[in-house]
Amino acid sequence: MANSTEPQKPQNTKKNKKKGATLDTFYGAKIQNTEQTEDNIKENAPKPSKGNGNSPQTYEEFESEMTKKMEAFWEEKLEIMQKKFTHLQNQFDQTVKENQALKARIRQLEDNDRVKEQESIKQSQNTKKLEENIKYLTDKVIDLENRGRRDNLRIIGLPDKPEINTKLDMVIQDIIKENCPEILEQGGNTSTDRAHRTPSTLNPQKTTPRNVIAKFQSYQTKEKILQEARKRQFRYKGMPIRVTQDLASSTLNDRKAWNMIFRKARELGLQPRISYPAKLTIYFQGKVWAFNKIEDFQLFAKKRPELCGKFDTENQRARNT
């Protein structure tokens, strides 16, 4: 009896290997290491049957089939990964485009801000010029108004009575006769074109008499009367009155601002005077000093020990109130 040789079983080539590292795909799926997969293929491969050595599926066929399945699996995963990569690439390209658009928008806004800033500077310069022009024109108008009043005198303190208001021209002539008759003796023209009371719309409850404005025909006569009024106190039938140059209301307000300093300077013997339009002059230490602003005078007084602390207008206003 012939000895049949039993085919030797293929030696198990599985080795003791550590479990391969896993790969994390974009979908979070875990794929085993290729070496472990190959070991599983060999372990699950069909073993040849005993007998004539013929087997329905040989090991090589099984290995080929599994290799094709693995290739198909990896091709499918690769295709999915490529789609995912393409999607991410599209998103990245879109982000780049949006980023470029935002940069262009930022540059445009910066350019607009730069243009607006330049326009703002130009507007500020134009505004400054306009303010300077307005101040110049305002000063010019005030100066023209003052010059238009150069023939006028303002009489302050004359009683506001009907018998006086109806004959103001005659009352002015009486004032000249009583206080400076030498002008009449010299043949000066003391005639007036008109004389009237100032309106009291600013303060209807004011109890003091309204001022009288008299326009003289002769500027020289008006100046002579004004010079005499600066030398002494004028009176009308024994009542004290004051005669000053008629000026625009803004100029009069500027002059009134000097009142407290003017009175104090007169008490100290500084011989103060208010010159046109609203300039204070004093005689101090053998010199004549002129000031256009109260701040300039206060700074001057602080630097002189003889005057320091004597012209504190704020404290004086507080004491008066």
Side-chain angles (χ1 to χ4, degrees):
M1 182 172 167
N3 293 331
S4 62
T5 59
E6 184 178 354
Q8 186 178 359
K9 291 183 181 180
Q11 185 178 357
N12 191 357
T13 58
K14 182 178 180 181
K15 299 180 181 179
N16 293 329
K17 296 182 180 180
K18 294 182 180 179
K19 204 174 199 180
T22 60
L23 297 176
D24 292 339
T25 64
F26 290 94
Y27 304 96
K30 297 182 178 180
I31 302 174
Q32 293 180 342
N33 193 293
T34 305
E35 295 180 356
Q36 183 178 358
T37 305
E38 292 178 353
D39 292 342
N40 292 336
I41 292 174
K42 293 179 179 180
E43 182 178 359
N44 297 326
K47 299 176 178 53
S49 60
K50 297 179 182 180
N52 57 5
N54 295 327
S55 174
Q57 187 177 18
T58 63
Y59 173 78
E60 288 79 6
E61 292 175 351
F62 176 78
E63 184 178 14
S64 175
E65 182 180 354
M66 293 303 297
T67 301
K68 291 179 181 180
K69 289 182 179 181
M70 290 297 297
E71 289 177 354
F73 171 79
W74 282 112
E75 286 178 359
E76 181 182 359
K77 294 299 181 183
L78 181 60
E79 184 179 357
I80 294 173
M81 292 173 64
Q82 286 178 346
K83 290 181 180 180
K84 184 63 177 179
F85 178 78
T86 303
H87 178 69
L88 292 176
Q89 184 66 37
N90 293 335
Q91 287 185 339
F92 176 76
D93 294 341
Q94 183 66 24
T95 304
V96 171
K97 291 180 181 179
E98 292 177 355
N99 188 25
Q100 292 176 350
L102 289 175
K103 287 182 179 180
R105 181 61 177 166
I106 291 172
R107 284 194 297 269
Q108 183 180 1
L109 291 175
E110 289 176 349
D111 294 339
N112 292 340
D113 289 341
R114 205 174 295 112
V115 171
K116 289 181 180 180
E117 184 178 358
Q118 293 175 354
E119 291 178 353
S120 177
I121 293 173
K122 291 181 180 179
Q123 289 179 356
S124 299
Q125 294 174 350
N126 293 335
T127 301
K128 185 177 180 180
K129 290 180 181 179
L130 288 174
E131 291 175 351
E132 292 175 353
N133 291 337
I134 291 173
K135 185 179 183 305
Y136 170 78
L137 293 174
T138 302
D139 295 341
K140 190 69 174 176
V141 170
I142 294 173
D143 181 67
L144 290 174
E145 184 178 357
N146 288 331
R147 293 180 184 278
R149 296 169 180 260
R150 64 196 303 267
D151 296 333
N152 296 356
L153 284 179
R154 182 180 290 262
I155 304 172
I156 304 171
L158 191 65
D160 195 350
K161 297 180 180 180
E163 58 270 20
I164 294 177
N165 295 339
T166 54
K167 50 180 183 177
L168 285 174
D169 292 335
M170 296 178 60
V171 170
I172 292 171
Q173 297 300 321
D174 294 340
I175 292 173
I176 296 173
K177 291 178 183 179
E178 183 176 351
N179 296 277
C180 44
E182 61 275 6
I183 296 177
L184 295 174
E185 294 173 359
Q186 295 172 1
N189 182 12
T190 59
S191 300
T192 57
D193 284 339
R194 67 184 67 87
H196 61 87
R197 292 276 184 179
T198 58
S200 58
T201 55
L202 295 179
N203 189 2
Q205 315 236 345
K206 191 174 181 181
T207 57
T208 57
R210 294 175 294 164
N211 297 342
V212 174
I213 306 297
K215 179 178 176 58
F216 286 82
Q217 294 180 355
S218 172
Y219 172 77
Q220 290 78 11
T221 301
K222 187 268 310 183
E223 281 296 313
K224 290 179 181 180
I225 296 172
L226 187 59
Q227 290 175 4
E228 293 297 325
R230 289 170 178 167
K231 295 177 183 178
R232 59 182 180 272
Q233 176 73 59
F234 270 34
R235 294 181 179 275
Y236 174 69
K237 294 182 179 181
M239 294 181 297
I241 59 173
R242 189 157 62 94
V243 178
T244 63
Q245 173 68 46
D246 181 38
L247 297 168
S249 59
S250 59
T251 305
L252 291 175
N253 291 333
D254 292 340
R255 289 192 168 200
K256 287 180 181 179
W258 289 106
N259 283 349
M260 299 180 67
I261 294 176
F262 185 90
R263 288 195 295 268
K264 189 63 178 179
R266 187 165 55 188
E267 292 175 3
L268 297 174
L270 300 178
Q271 303 176 16
R273 289 189 61 183
I274 303 293
S275 57
Y276 181 82
K279 182 188 296 183
L280 174 69
T281 58
I282 60 172
Y283 186 79
F284 180 70
Q285 294 181 349
K287 297 180 181 180
V288 177
W289 304 82
F291 307 94
N292 291 317
K293 297 180 180 179
I294 295 177
E295 293 80 6
D296 297 338
F297 177 81
Q298 290 176 340
L299 184 61
F300 171 84
K302 287 180 180 179
K303 295 181 179 179
R304 272 69 182 178
E306 301 89 340
L307 305 178
C308 184
K310 297 180 180 180
F311 291 93
D312 193 349
T313 56
E314 293 183 359
N315 291 338
Q316 291 178 11
R317 289 194 188 98
R319 287 196 296 268
N320 292 336
T321 55

